[in-house]
Amino acid sequence: MTKWVYAFGDGAADGDAKMRNLLGGKGANLAEMSNLGLPVPPGFTCTTEVCTYYYANGQTYPSDLKAQLDAAVERMGRLMDSKLGDPARPLLVSVRSGARVSMPGMMDTVLNLGLTPETVEGVIKLTGNPRFAWDSYRRFVQMYSNVVLGLEHADFEEILEQAKEAKGVELDTELDANDLKTITMKFKELVNKKLGKPFPDNVQDQLWGGIGAVFGSWMCTRAQTYRRLNKIPGDWGTAVNVQAMVFGNRGDTSATGVAFTRDPGTGENYLYGEFLINAQGEDVVAGIRTPQPITKLVRERQGGKKPSMEEAMPQMYKELKAIGDKLEQHFKEVQDVEFTIQEGKLWMLQCRAGKRTAKAALKIAIDLVNEGLIDKKTAVQRVDPSALDQLLHPTLDPKAAKTKFATGLAASPGAAIGEVTFTADEAEKMANEGHDVILVRTETSPEDIHGMHAAKGIVTARGGMTSHAAVVARGMGRPCVAGAGSIRIDADKGLMSVGDNVVKRGDVITIDGSAGVVYKGRVTMQQPELTGDFNTLMQWADEIRKLKVYTNADTPTDARTARSFGAQGIGLCRTEHMFFEGDRIVSVRQMILADTVEEREKALAKLLPMQRGDFEEIFRVMDGLPVIIRLLDPPLHEFLPHKDEEYEAVAKQAGVSAQKLKAKSVLLHEMNPMLGHRGCRLGITYPEITAMQARAILEAAINIEAEGKKVEAEIMIPVVAWKQELDFAAEVINKVAEQVKKERGKLPHFKIGTMIELPRAALRAGDLAQTAQFFSFGTNDLTQTTCGISRDDAGPFLTEYQVKGLLVRDPFVSIDRDGVGELIAIAAERGRKTRPDLDVGICGEHGGDPNSIELCHAVGLNYVSCSPFRVPVARLAAAQAALKKFERDV
């Protein structure tokens, strides 16, 4: 017989903390606290398997569940010397959710279940406190009607507000027993009116209604959204915890509260939380009354007048502190606890690992090591790598007032404030005049790079997490909200709108790239602080990880930033971004418009010293660390104008007619440029481009070596499908190398490798490794070409895939392990079979994603490369990947 129900309380439990998959986090911890002998009100847990059965069988229960549940209810009553539905000694219970991971506020709860017209009289006789009894009853009717019966909470609040207004009072606590009795009766009348049937007074109906509501809330919209955002599988299900009620609203010797064993904002070691005297738990979190701090220290810091729990209830505070210390020692982790004090007795209702800020997580992890509770490896696993973004970028003050304008994707973390601009030129001009600007575009292109660099932040109406705007913004460390599809942009009129809500050019907005939100006006920000704890944890991570961490950097500034964060090399230097700086674009366009090789070489000769200077600066900054330089990748049409009004100005600048420029633009236009004339294909058609870039790299390396610095140059050929393409490019590079050696009398050490971004290249990696000395997986394009999905158009429907449970993760955010991941594993294995010392890494945006880094470690790659501000994230994620067993997604 399957065991569906697990009891806890009275110093014993059927389960323990290791059974969280079956009992849920709350049920497992209630069992563990019971086993520790802590004062836990007795109860039982209906397992997550009941939830799974419930949805797999038309929202019905296992046939043997009722008998197990009845026995558990009887045990609970016996321990509490009461019975569910007994008019003389009524048992009241709470019904709460409890998934295996915390989903705070996402699912439903019912308190005070078991109250009826008969049992409320029994509570009055037992307690001698009619106000408490009727207060509990009106709370139950209101909560049950909303959660189980589906009525609007506001309808009941209206009745409550009318009663307070009629009596001339402001607070619920100023209503007496008769007032509350009248309100309860009106609540029940409302239920009858709305549903056409009376409020249930049968306690068994109440109990099964409550259990069904909690299981039902597993699939409510907010819970599904939370699971999608936090990558929680829908088939895990929730447990239901039924527990004997204890009451914090039985007078001035009763209270309720929530506490953390350390400050979750700073990590300081003191009890942090809030409590209310003569209240129930919902009052603390609902904002009905203003809670008081747990400790005197916090009250003094806040300038509060009302006494803290430490001052008002010193003995209860002492007991709570002792229990908190015991739980921390036992779980070796900061705990978030809920408690109730009933007439001078402390009861523990819940404990779980406390959620905390990144700053607090760092301090707590380091402190717990210093206190001997955990070791360094455990500390490294305690900090969420993605949360480090909080430390590396400005963030919005959570207490600040905000007016939301639009939402999109959290494409690049951090917060920024600035005046709205709609063109890159305008952004650059205003920034040069001393303005802070936010660049707002329908979508960005490489031509916008100067405006993106000038802007404090970027907003796009289209595009995804790996769109041009997102990738470039992350590389620059600029906050970015991408794919804000509700925004309508009219750049000509200088405005953007969401419905009737309009923002004009020059208006100030605030963007939160960590949350994907655009706000109107200025929102107060908090600046990042890197503490000694950050450096300590990074050092521990570096001792553990096997993967090297490189950066994607196109400028000396990017390179310096990345090195300051611990980058061990550059895994991707995109040369095309350099072509848009200053007057270079003129020479690039002259090269594109050239009709002969001689004309093209003449234009390229102008670019050569510029490229050489770029590489010299980057080599100088990296000082002997590997620098992987990708040769020109995008199709040539991206360097030409796209609008009619731009042709005249650009033609004049390039020294050609507008007609010729337009004709060339038409000639270069492609139906599907992502799979068109780009990468190595450009170098085959125009080998002089490859030759110029190779010469610039090699000459720069010689010049920097002459300064006494080391250079490790690696030349990467993009978009290779056939070995013949790679061989062609390698031959061009090697011929240039021979020429440079003759001219300069020496040659720097360099490698030639390829970017694996096509399925054919991955499958034929053994052939490619005959020529390539290293592989770098361009996982953005490899995902596009493997899955047949355009990353810029995938946002809307991939979100729908996640909502409907078809995908757990967006494959452009985390590598598709079973498809793209399999190709990476195949290519690495086949490449190393040909060349055992082959260096293999990834340089797509996945290089900063912890889940993808875990895959890279598992398949034995040498390095990951990510944007500069993701380097610490990657360092920590690589260490965690080395510490935990890799499991493929199902």
Side-chain angles (χ1 to χ4, degrees):
M1 182 180 73
T2 302
K3 185 174 177 63
W4 304 108
V5 176
Y6 286 71
F8 58 81
D10 193 35
D14 295 340
D16 58 42
K18 297 174 184 175
M19 300 172 69
R20 62 187 304 113
N21 288 1
L22 182 66
L23 302 181
K26 185 175 295 183
N29 286 345
L30 284 168
E32 192 75 1
M33 285 198 295
S34 297
N35 291 330
L36 287 171
L38 299 182
V40 176
F44 60 88
T45 301
C46 294
T47 67
T48 56
E49 290 180 350
V50 178
C51 186
T52 303
Y53 183 100
Y54 179 80
Y55 283 107
N57 293 274
Q59 299 186 16
T60 60
Y61 299 107
S63 59
D64 51 347
L65 174 64
K66 186 177 185 305
Q68 294 184 33
L69 192 142
D70 288 345
V73 170
E74 191 276 330
R75 174 186 180 274
M76 183 168 43
R78 189 171 65 251
L79 292 174
M80 295 296 289
D81 190 24
S82 56
K83 182 179 179 182
L84 192 67
D86 188 328
R89 301 194 66 80
L91 171 68
L92 304 184
V93 301
S94 63
V95 183
R96 303 174 191 260
S97 63
R100 67 173 75 173
V101 294
S102 178
M103 293 174 57
M106 293 302 107
M107 289 179 287
D108 289 330
T109 294
V110 180
L111 303 178
N112 305 324
L113 190 146
L115 280 168
T116 68
E118 293 77 28
T119 59
V120 73
E121 296 298 334
V123 172
I124 292 170
K125 289 176 184 175
L126 283 173
T127 63
N129 189 339
R131 190 198 178 282
F132 154 73
W134 284 106
D135 184 43
S136 300
Y137 198 6
R138 71 94 187 165
R139 290 170 183 268
F140 168 59
V141 174
Q142 182 171 0
M143 184 176 279
Y144 193 94
S145 298
N146 175 237
V147 169
V148 182
L149 304 180
L151 300 182
E152 290 295 328
H153 179 79
D155 291 340
F156 296 89
E157 281 297 306
E158 186 178 348
I159 293 172
L160 184 60
E161 290 303 314
Q162 287 172 353
K164 288 191 286 188
E165 189 176 329
K167 190 165 184 176
V169 299
E170 292 184 9
L171 301 176
D172 299 357
T173 50
E174 295 176 282
L175 298 171
D176 61 25
N178 288 328
D179 299 325
L180 293 165
K181 180 177 181 180
T182 301
I183 290 168
T184 305
M185 296 302 107
K186 287 184 177 180
F187 280 1
K188 297 181 80 171
E189 289 170 9
L190 177 65
V191 172
N192 204 356
K193 180 181 177 182
K194 291 276 187 180
L195 299 181
K197 58 182 179 181
F199 184 87
D201 287 331
N202 180 287
V203 292
Q204 287 295 322
D205 291 343
Q206 290 178 2
L207 179 60
W208 284 98
I211 292 171
V214 173
F215 281 137
S217 67
W218 175 252
M219 296 304 292
C220 73
T221 302
R222 65 178 184 273
Q224 291 190 60
T225 300
Y226 186 90
R227 290 200 298 273
R228 175 172 56 81
L229 294 174
N230 291 278
K231 312 295 186 293
I232 300 171
D235 59 3
W236 279 3
T238 182
V240 173
N241 298 288
V242 179
Q243 191 173 19
M245 285 291 300
V246 287
F247 298 94
N249 59 335
R250 283 177 69 161
D252 291 341
T253 59
S254 301
T256 188
V258 176
F260 291 79
T261 52
R262 303 188 189 215
D263 188 324
T266 66
E268 292 174 272
N269 190 359
Y270 57 77
L271 268 184
Y272 178 95
E274 297 174 321
F275 86 116
L276 276 172
I277 293 174
N278 194 20
Q280 283 201 317
E282 65 194 271
D283 297 334
V284 177
V285 296
I288 296 168
R289 290 164 57 190
T290 303
Q292 296 151 240
I294 297 283
T295 59
K296 179 182 178 182
L297 173 68
V298 174
R299 180 189 65 75
E300 290 174 343
R301 285 181 178 178
Q302 294 175 348
K305 302 299 181 187
K306 291 185 177 180
S308 64
M309 181 178 172
E310 185 178 4
E311 296 163 301
M313 307 178 86
Q315 182 57 35
M316 293 295 94
Y317 170 82
K318 187 177 178 182
E319 289 182 28
L320 180 65
K321 180 73 170 69
I323 288 174
D325 291 343
K326 185 172 184 177
L327 288 171
E328 253 201 20
Q329 291 287 325
H330 178 74
F331 286 106
K332 304 184 187 303
E333 173 64 298
V334 173
Q335 294 298 299
D336 169 5
V337 301
E338 293 179 16
F339 64 92
T340 286
I341 299 165
Q342 178 175 296
E343 296 178 326
K345 178 172 174 56
L346 176 65
W347 294 93
M348 303 305 296
L349 307 182
Q350 176 171 301
C351 75
R352 60 189 173 195
K355 293 186 181 295
R356 66 211 79 167
T357 64
K359 179 181 177 182
L362 284 171
K363 176 171 176 53
I364 289 166
I366 304 300
D367 286 352
L368 290 179
V369 171
N370 293 336
E371 292 166 22
L373 279 181
I374 61 175
D375 58 20
K376 292 179 182 179
K377 290 181 179 179
T378 304
V380 165
Q381 291 174 299
R382 285 282 173 85
V383 179
D384 178 5
S386 298
L388 293 181
D389 279 334
Q390 293 179 28
L391 302 176
L392 305 175
H393 299 275
T395 55
L396 297 185
D397 183 346
K399 299 174 183 175
K402 304 176 185 73
T403 303
K404 187 182 290 187
F405 176 69
T407 57
L409 299 172
S412 183
I417 301 170
E419 298 173 43
V420 171
T421 63
F422 294 105
T423 70
D425 290 342
E426 184 182 46
E428 186 176 52
K429 180 176 180 292
M430 290 182 66
N432 289 338
E433 293 170 357
H435 297 264
D436 289 342
V437 299
I438 304 292
L439 177 61
V440 179
R441 303 282 282 155
T442 300
E443 57 192 344
T444 61
S445 73
E447 271 194 83
D448 293 322
I449 195 80
H450 60 294
M452 298 173 75
H453 187 266
K456 295 295 183 183
I458 299 142
V459 176
T460 66
R462 290 206 294 261
M465 295 292 286
T466 53
S467 63
H468 176 268
V471 171
V472 173
R474 284 194 289 269
M476 291 179 172
R478 299 288 189 277
C480 177
V481 177
S486 62
I487 295 178
R488 297 292 173 264
I489 297 171
D490 189 332
D492 293 334
K493 292 182 180 178
L495 58 83
M496 62 175 172
S497 60
V498 176
D500 295 330
N501 205 353
V502 176
V503 169
K504 298 176 182 177
R505 178 184 284 112
D507 288 352
V508 172
I509 61 172
T510 301
I511 69 170
D512 185 351
S514 303
V517 184
V518 180
Y519 298 98
K520 294 180 77 171
R522 294 181 182 274
V523 178
T524 306
M525 291 201 297
Q526 298 174 330
Q527 293 303 312
E529 292 180 46
L530 293 183
T531 65
D533 293 332
F534 174 86
N535 294 324
T536 300
L537 192 79
M538 287 294 104
Q539 183 183 336
W540 293 348
D542 291 343
E543 292 169 3
I544 295 165
R545 65 183 168 89
K546 309 297 182 188
L547 282 168
K548 293 180 180 178
V549 177
Y550 293 178
T551 189
N552 304 337
D554 311 328
T555 68
T557 300
D558 289 345
R560 273 188 287 271
T561 300
R563 284 208 69 177
S564 73
F565 287 140
Q568 297 166 284
I570 292 178
L572 176 63
C573 178
R574 308 173 186 88
T575 54
E576 60 270 12
H577 286 174
M578 301 170 178
F579 287 171
F580 285 99
E581 289 192 12
D583 296 331
R584 300 178 187 199
I585 190 67
V586 177
S587 299
V588 173
R589 285 166 174 164
Q590 288 173 341
M591 180 266 291
I592 294 169
L593 294 167
D595 293 322
T596 66
V597 173
E598 291 74 20
E599 288 179 0
R600 201 155 31 250
E601 287 179 336
K602 186 177 179 181
L604 288 167
K606 297 177 184 176
L607 288 170
L608 174 61
M610 302 175 192
Q611 283 260 280
R612 184 172 55 228
D614 292 330
F615 298 140
E616 285 173 355
E617 287 191 65
I618 289 173
F619 288 149
R620 194 175 285 121
V621 171
M622 298 310 291
D623 193 13
L625 295 176
V627 178
I628 299 175
I629 299 169
R630 183 180 73 185
L631 299 185
L632 189 63
D633 183 42
L636 295 180
H637 74 83
E638 287 198 7
F639 298 96
L640 297 178
H642 306 292
K643 295 180 180 179
D644 288 341
E645 59 267 25
E646 295 176 340
Y647 279 109
E648 287 291 342
V650 171
K652 184 179 180 181
Q653 200 177 37
V656 297
S657 69
Q659 188 176 0
K660 179 177 180 179
L661 180 60
K662 192 174 286 189
K664 191 71 172 183
S665 184
V666 170
L667 183 66
L668 292 175
H669 174 75
E670 295 177 303
M671 295 300 293
N672 190 352
M674 202 279 283
L675 298 178
H677 194 198
R678 56 172 285 222
C680 71
R681 301 159 193 170
L682 280 175
I684 291 169
T685 307
Y686 308 116
E688 51 273 19
I689 298 177
T690 301
M692 182 277 289
Q693 291 197 294
R695 177 174 285 275
I697 293 167
L698 297 175
E699 289 181 351
I702 292 172
N703 293 345
I704 297 305
E705 285 180 345
E707 296 177 5
K709 292 183 179 289
K710 295 180 180 179
V711 175
E712 190 68 41
E714 304 187 22
I715 303 172
M716 182 160 67
I717 319 299
V719 201
V720 167
W722 288 275
K723 180 176 180 290
Q724 299 94 300
E725 294 172 317
L726 181 60
D727 289 343
F728 184 97
E731 186 178 353
V732 171
I733 294 167
N734 286 323
K735 281 183 179 178
V736 170
E738 289 173 13
Q739 293 168 2
V740 170
K741 186 176 182 180
K742 284 181 183 178
E743 295 162 7
R744 302 290 295 267
K746 62 184 296 188
L747 194 65
H749 173 71
F750 71 95
K751 291 181 181 179
I752 297 174
T754 187
M755 205 165 184
I756 306 285
E757 47 201 321
L758 300 173
R760 190 184 194 282
L763 294 172
R764 303 305 301 170
D767 296 340
L768 297 179
Q770 293 173 26
T771 301
Q773 294 167 280
F774 67 89
F775 286 169
S776 181
F777 293 96
T779 50
N780 297 340
D781 279 356
L782 187 57
T783 298
Q784 292 193 95
T785 54
T786 300
C787 301
I789 297 175
S790 163
R791 69 183 182 186
D792 291 326
D793 301 313
F797 67 82
L798 283 182
T799 299
E800 197 65 26
Y801 275 39
Q802 291 173 273
V803 168
K804 292 181 175 173
L806 304 180
L807 290 176
V808 175
R809 298 177 178 88
D810 181 334
F812 291 106
V813 175
S814 290
I815 291 175
D816 159 40
R817 291 180 173 182
D818 294 332
V820 176
E822 186 73 14
L823 285 174
I824 290 172
I826 289 169
E829 180 184 359
R830 293 180 182 178
R832 285 172 172 158
K833 194 170 183 180
T834 298
R835 188 185 292 268
D837 62 347
L838 185 75
D839 264 352
V840 186
I842 70 167
C843 63
E845 279 301 296
H846 294 100
D849 168 60
N851 189 63
S852 302
I853 290 168
E854 192 177 299
L855 170 84
C856 295
H857 173 84
V859 299
L861 301 194
N862 300 98
Y863 69 88
V864 296
S865 187
C866 57
S867 58
F869 285 86
R870 297 290 285 178
V871 167
V873 174
R875 289 166 66 191
L876 182 56
Q880 291 181 354
L883 288 171
K884 67 182 177 182
K885 183 181 177 182
F886 174 75
E887 295 178 0
R888 239 179 226 283
D889 281 350
V890 177

